[in-house]
Amino acid sequence: YVQIKLPDGYVVEESPAPVSYVDALDGLNYAFRTQLSGNIFSAQAILDQNIIIYPHTSFDDVYTFFGTVADSNQRMLVITKGN
């Protein structure tokens, strides 16, 4: 969980989109949320993994899931000075 207090006169120009995967692979859940409340921007990522061993036949799905998680954590927040 991260909170950023924006300096006076600055605005969020671009924010990462929310992501949610519930029970994606029998026990893998991921959610990423953002919120702007006044001049406080917050972001939260939650990964819940109930199973740690998957059959080899699930490799592609597990690989894709964690690739999606990694991609969502690389998204940018753009803050600019307002008018």
Side-chain angles (χ1 to χ4, degrees):
Y1 184 78
V2 174
Q3 282 190 326
I4 300 171
K5 182 178 180 184
L6 302 177
D8 291 338
Y10 283 78
V11 295
V12 173
E13 184 176 305
E14 185 178 333
S15 175
V19 176
S20 181
Y21 295 102
V22 178
D23 206 24
L25 292 166
D26 297 327
L28 283 174
N29 301 292
Y30 177 72
F32 178 81
R33 298 179 197 84
T34 61
Q35 181 180 359
L36 181 62
S37 180
N39 67 336
I40 304 292
F41 176 83
S42 60
Q44 180 180 35
I46 299 170
L47 174 63
D48 181 31
Q49 184 174 357
N50 297 318
I51 299 171
I52 59 169
I53 299 174
Y54 289 88
H56 67 88
T57 55
S58 296
F59 175 81
D60 289 339
D61 294 332
V62 173
Y63 184 84
T64 299
F65 175 84
F66 282 105
T68 301
V69 169
D71 288 346
S72 85
N73 286 312
Q74 297 296 319
R75 295 192 179 135
M76 300 287 265
L77 168 66
V78 179
I79 300 170
T80 59
K81 189 163 185 157
N83 295 334

